[in-house]
Amino acid sequence: MTTVDSYNPADPGDLVVSAPAVGAAGVEEAIGRARAAQREWWALGAAGRSAALGRAAAAVEAATEELVALTVREVGKPVAEARGEVARTVAIWRYYAQAPFAAAGEVHEPAAGSGLLLTRRRPYGVAGLVTPWNFPLAIPTWKAAPALAVGNTVVLKPAPEATACALRLAELAGLPDGVLTVVPGGGEEGAALVAGADVVSFTGSTAVGRQVVATAAGRGVPVQAEMGGLNAALVLPDADFAQAAAHLASAIAGYAGQKCTATSRVIAVGDAYGPLAEALAKALAQLPAADPAAASTACGPVINRQALERLLTAIDSAKAAGATVLAGGVRADRAGWYLEPTLLADVPAEHPLANEEFFGPVAVLLPAADLDEAIALANGTRHTLATSVHSRSLDTALAAADRLDAGMIRINAPSSGVDFHLPFGGAKAASYGAREQGTAAADFYTASRTVSLLPAGGN
């Protein structure tokens, strides 16, 4: 039997879980159970679904310490961030526990004559969710909770590296059989889920995301895909450099840069370059790669050996091409998959580090003569999820925000912040389909129907 084995990235010999991979047949069976359970789940009504999601929130909250420890162990998330993720997960369950009571349609006047026109939103059936490992509790929740709230059932295929977290989350949720099912596995299971679900939501790599979109669109089912981002931070000459450096260091090194909203390109405008380079290198040096279980750690390990080797190879390649290491650039001297937070200058424009998402604590520093050039650099990528702008001038920051191609723009704040009650998504190849989170999610997981009600014998 094939198993899904998840190891601790801070202690690679520590096997966190070994779960049987269900295979394509197992996914098809799970979809069948979910489809059979969906009618009864929908029939619970708003009060029943709301109560169930509220109980899930309470159960997750009661298991906070367990989930924090599991998140630190399975995906190497620093304990402070892990605690924040659990709190966010609870908040998301509670937020969507109110969604069943939201208006699900409108009443309209007919164009002529008497009668009544209604629009109503109804669930699709089975929501197939494919989720990454970097937010092993929050992302499955912000996909599953709205889908469940509006009456769908859910089949969740987590990344193999987050299998234990997903299984425990579903267990704690305590929903009726078939309403929330986790199917451990890899590419085979993910493909089977996309091929069988009634609505699909995916977060992961661009290459896989494109396949997911093609398959779902070919079947004619709704699909959304979040595929990462090559995120820029623009620092203007009038910025508070100490504050900007602290925000940027957090967005580069926090959780070893393993966030789709992490900053990987820092664009210094005009005279900002020199003081920012100095301040940022110093700020990154104060966030060394360290044990994620330690309360003071911001930068833990990257997820596995392959990720570390890819990052080190890219750094060596950039150095060979003339790049200068301003901070980090080396593997940390400890067991596990650790890379010191890294800042590189003089990286050639054509180098992969300047053009691709590497998902690690690495950023390149780029000069721009003025704001126009900075915006052109920030927009000159195929995918941007989040961008930050750092300036004391509100007018300048808001003007830049209007011109930036990014789904989320944060002013005088790290690019890596997310508000779960607002739409989440990127620009260009970073995202496909409807936005996630907030009320946008409820719309995505439902279809609109128009009902025309005319009086008997009427026109």
Side-chain angles (χ1 to χ4, degrees):
M1 176 182 292
T2 302
T3 60
V4 178
D5 299 328
S6 177
Y7 290 89
N8 181 348
D11 181 6
D14 175 22
L15 177 62
V16 180
V17 69
S18 182
V22 302
V27 173
E28 292 169 5
E29 181 184 351
I31 292 173
R33 292 199 311 272
R35 189 160 284 124
Q38 192 270 330
R39 184 179 296 273
E40 186 173 348
W41 175 247
W42 169 247
L44 283 178
R49 294 194 303 278
S50 176
L53 269 58
R55 288 192 295 270
V60 171
E61 185 173 42
T64 291
E65 296 306 319
E66 174 196 350
L67 292 174
V68 168
L70 181 59
T71 302
V72 172
R73 182 182 174 208
E74 185 168 37
V75 300
K77 180 161 286 194
V79 65
E81 285 213 29
R83 192 170 300 282
E85 180 172 352
V86 175
R88 178 185 298 182
T89 300
V90 173
I92 294 169
W93 281 111
R94 286 191 172 136
Y95 174 80
Y96 285 111
Q98 302 307 307
F101 294 107
E106 297 177 332
V107 178
H108 298 262
E109 292 294 327
S114 59
L116 197 60
L117 299 179
L118 308 175
T119 61
R120 306 185 75 183
R121 301 197 71 86
R122 290 295 181 262
Y124 286 102
V126 178
L129 313 181
V130 181
T131 58
W133 49 262
N134 59 330
F135 286 86
L137 303 173
I139 291 181
T141 296
W142 85 43
K143 291 180 185 290
L148 293 165
V150 297
N152 299 281
T153 49
V154 166
V155 179
L156 167 66
K157 207 295 288 182
E161 297 89 345
T163 299
C165 285
L167 289 170
R168 186 60 178 137
L169 178 66
E171 184 178 26
L172 286 167
L175 298 171
D177 183 58
V179 172
L180 173 57
T181 306
V182 175
V183 286
E188 176 186 348
E189 288 77 7
L193 182 55
V194 174
D198 302 313
V199 55
V200 174
S201 182
F202 166 89
T203 299
S205 71
T206 300
V208 176
R210 286 174 174 169
Q211 296 174 8
V212 168
V213 168
T215 298
R219 294 179 53 226
V221 303
V223 57
Q224 62 182 189
E226 295 299 336
M227 296 172 283
L230 187 63
N231 305 308
L234 281 62
V235 183
L236 280 292
D238 68 342
D240 180 327
F241 294 123
Q243 180 190 68
H247 288 160
L248 293 174
S250 173
I252 294 166
Y255 190 25
Q258 297 173 126
K259 303 175 185 180
C260 53
T261 54
T263 295
S264 53
R265 295 186 301 154
V266 178
I267 303 172
V269 180
D271 293 339
Y273 189 94
L276 178 64
E278 181 180 356
L280 183 52
K282 181 179 178 180
L284 287 171
Q286 295 172 350
L287 300 176
D291 180 1
S296 61
T297 296
C299 181
V302 296
I303 192 64
N304 53 36
R305 179 195 296 273
Q306 292 79 8
L308 179 61
E309 290 179 347
R310 180 171 183 252
L311 289 161
L312 289 170
T313 298
I315 292 168
D316 288 343
S317 170
K319 289 162 59 179
T324 303
V325 177
L326 301 182
V330 296
R331 179 174 181 173
D333 185 18
R334 57 172 53 243
W337 315 124
Y338 293 90
L339 175 68
E340 296 293 358
T342 299
L343 180 66
L344 300 170
D346 308 314
V347 174
E350 67 277 7
H351 193 275
L353 279 174
N355 297 283
E356 299 174 14
E357 183 184 42
F358 273 78
F359 227 56
V362 178
V364 299
L365 179 62
L366 305 171
D370 52 31
L371 183 58
D372 288 341
E373 183 180 356
I375 290 173
L377 283 170
N379 291 344
T381 176
R382 61 195 176 102
H383 53 195
T384 300
L385 180 60
T387 297
S388 64
V389 180
H390 304 263
S391 171
R392 285 189 171 94
S393 169
L394 181 60
D395 288 345
T396 299
L398 290 176
D402 283 342
R403 299 170 60 193
L404 288 165
D405 291 338
M408 296 175 293
I409 299 165
R410 291 170 58 82
I411 296 173
N412 293 326
S415 64
S416 49
V418 172
D419 296 294
F420 66 81
H421 58 299
L422 295 179
F424 177 93
K428 295 179 280 192
S431 298
Y432 179 92
R435 293 303 199 217
E436 293 195 273
Q437 304 193 139
T439 58
D443 288 345
F444 171 70
Y445 288 111
T446 54
S448 178
R449 297 177 180 177
T450 299
V451 179
S452 300
L453 179 62
L454 301 178
N459 55 359

